[in-house]
Amino acid sequence: MDLNELLVFARVVQSGSFTAAARALRMPKSTVSRKVSELEERVGAQLLQRTTRKLHLTEVGRAYYAHCERIVQEAEAAEQEVTRMQAGPHGLLRVTTPLSVPFLAPLVAGFLERYPDVQVELLCTDRAVDLVEEGLDLAVRAGRLPDSSLMARRLGDIARVVVASPEYLEAKGAPKTPADLAKHDCLLFGTALEGNVWTLHAGGRSVEVKVSGRLVVNEPDMLHAVTVAGSGVALLPGLHCVDDLETGRLQRVLPDWSSAGAPVHAVYPPTRHHVPKVMAFVEFLREHWPMRQEPLKRAKR
């Protein structure tokens, strides 16, 4: 089946002549006439009766046109929908993020407010997600990216900062230098109590401090919770602590020092044409990424 033949036939019927149809389709009149003749030959029936003044549908032609008209209308509607969706952010955006990224919540809320024609579905998981296989538009990933065919845009970094609860600092005192951390109950991230070294940076300087403690945690949210509960000093992702620093549930320890940040990227499948909803989300995250770090900067002063 040649859908072009159906389109030409429908335009001839709607225009009332081969000349008008050729003008609407921007093709030679001879091509329009040939397309209709080929269609009639393929279906094995005369669809139009041609006179010097006017075209008339045959009985078979009327039945055939009724179906062609619906097909052409659906095709035009499909093209208009694609054009509309490519004109601006629109439709469902499916995004996967790690589990422990609560700082993304206000950014997603801001994106939804700016783009009312977009709906967002968030899949929060720490497993490796195949974007193409699972039909996802984009992933936010922290840390070093493996080699892949995916496109990647760097959003920013998540620096880790040394924090503790006011209750802990009141009871044990605040470290004055990085070396003082060796004397404190440090909350360790990983799977072993031994061999924990924190690398801290400040103003071009870098130091390594071997720390120890009685509690090791392998899950970021739990490590954050026990820090707020006053169990010790922790090295936490700064963006996870913004609200706690603003409310005073946590305080910066050694505010001039921090650990090198993990890079955060938006990754998405390659495509010949940019998808507006995907690119709008990426650019929105890049535009607003530093916003949630302001309390960290204020905490240093």
Side-chain angles (χ1 to χ4, degrees):
M1 178 181 293
D2 186 343
L3 293 179
N4 284 326
E5 292 176 355
L6 273 65
L7 174 61
V8 171
F9 171 65
R11 285 289 181 266
V12 169
V13 174
Q14 293 165 354
S15 302
S17 72
F18 286 99
T19 301
R23 191 181 305 115
L25 294 168
R26 298 181 180 179
M27 63 174 57
K29 178 182 175 182
S30 59
T31 302
V32 173
S33 180
R34 177 172 53 81
K35 287 283 187 183
V36 173
S37 296
E38 290 173 350
L39 175 61
E40 291 178 321
E41 185 175 343
R42 184 169 56 78
V43 300
Q46 185 177 357
L47 304 175
L48 291 170
Q49 286 191 354
R50 302 153 175 85
T51 67
T52 55
R53 293 188 176 184
K54 200 168 184 181
L55 297 175
H56 298 278
L57 284 166
T58 66
E59 183 180 3
V60 175
R62 281 194 297 273
Y64 195 77
Y65 174 69
H67 293 285
C68 286
E69 186 179 30
R70 289 197 296 270
I71 293 171
V72 170
Q73 287 175 347
E74 287 295 325
E76 289 175 342
E79 188 168 317
Q80 290 170 1
E81 179 66 10
V82 170
T83 300
R84 184 172 69 90
M85 293 181 70
Q86 289 299 109
H90 175 87
L92 177 63
L93 178 68
R94 303 189 69 226
V95 181
T96 180
T97 72
L99 286 172
S100 300
V101 286
F103 55 85
L104 278 180
L107 301 185
V108 173
F111 176 78
L112 289 171
E113 183 177 356
R114 177 180 291 187
Y115 298 103
D117 293 330
V118 180
Q119 304 86 46
V120 176
E121 178 184 329
L122 288 178
L123 172 63
C124 303
T125 177
D126 285 331
R127 66 179 174 85
V129 175
D130 187 316
L131 299 185
V132 176
E133 183 70 22
E134 300 191 33
L136 290 157
D137 297 299
L138 177 141
V140 176
R141 291 178 175 165
R144 185 174 176 273
L145 291 177
D147 292 334
S148 75
S149 61
L150 297 174
M151 304 294 291
R153 294 287 301 278
R154 188 162 180 158
L155 302 177
D157 300 278
I158 303 179
R160 292 184 297 166
V161 295
V162 186
V163 294
S165 71
E167 293 77 14
Y168 175 87
L169 295 176
E170 184 178 352
K172 300 294 181 69
K176 302 299 183 185
T177 68
D180 291 340
L181 291 170
K183 307 170 187 176
H184 279 264
D185 294 326
C186 292
L187 303 173
L188 311 177
F189 182 75
T191 58
L193 286 169
E194 301 299 326
N196 277 269
V197 176
W198 291 356
T199 303
L200 302 176
H201 307 276
R205 294 175 294 162
S206 180
V207 297
E208 291 187 349
V209 182
K210 187 172 182 179
V211 297
S212 61
R214 295 181 297 133
L215 179 61
V216 59
V217 183
N218 71 340
E219 201 282 320
D221 286 341
M222 179 59 74
L223 182 63
H224 172 266
V226 296
T227 307
V228 172
S231 298
V233 181
L235 186 61
L236 296 179
L239 288 177
H240 288 209
C241 305
V242 171
D243 291 337
D244 299 297
L245 292 171
E246 288 184 324
T247 60
R249 287 190 299 266
L250 289 176
Q251 293 181 9
R252 285 287 301 270
V253 175
L254 305 172
D256 293 328
W257 296 83
S258 63
S259 183
V264 181
H265 292 85
V267 298
Y268 48 93
T271 176
R272 284 189 349 179
H273 304 288
H274 289 314
V275 181
K277 62 184 178 182
V278 172
M279 301 314 301
F281 189 67
V282 172
E283 292 307 319
F284 188 89
L285 293 182
R286 284 169 55 84
E287 176 186 350
H288 293 281
W289 187 261
M291 176 180 69
R292 296 292 290 163
Q293 299 195 56
E294 287 304 316
L296 302 179
K297 297 175 182 178
R298 291 198 298 269
K300 289 185 179 183
R301 294 196 287 269

